[in-house]
Amino acid sequence: GINMQWEFKMLKFEIHRGIIDVSVNERKCEAEMNMLGKEGWELVNSFVTNDCDGMTNLVLMTFKREKRC
């Protein structure tokens, strides 16, 4: 409806740096996103943050769902 109200949730995943590459725990990420999906949360945005050396250190995800009374 016109007067829909939303609630939001942020999910944060740390990037693990190796000598050669970087990675995120995909299984943990997928499990948490699937759990949120079952609770009615929808992913609306994701972005990364960087350290001062320019290396990615976090993935941040924003979810929303219609506010429940």
Side-chain angles (χ1 to χ4, degrees), residues 24-67:
V24 66
N25 185 333
E26 291 176 15
R27 287 185 182 161
K28 181 180 178 187
C29 183
E30 288 174 356
E32 290 197 40
M33 288 193 300
N34 284 328
M35 181 186 70
L36 289 173
K38 288 178 183 176
E39 295 174 357
W41 294 98
E42 176 183 5
L43 178 66
V44 293
N45 192 17
S46 65
F47 58 95
V48 297
T49 63
N50 298 328
D51 282 336
C52 60
D53 63 2
M55 295 292 292
T56 299
N57 62 354
L58 293 173
V59 177
L60 298 167
M61 300 175 191
T62 306
F63 293 81
K64 75 172 186 177
R65 72 177 176 190
E66 189 173 352
K67 194 168 187 174

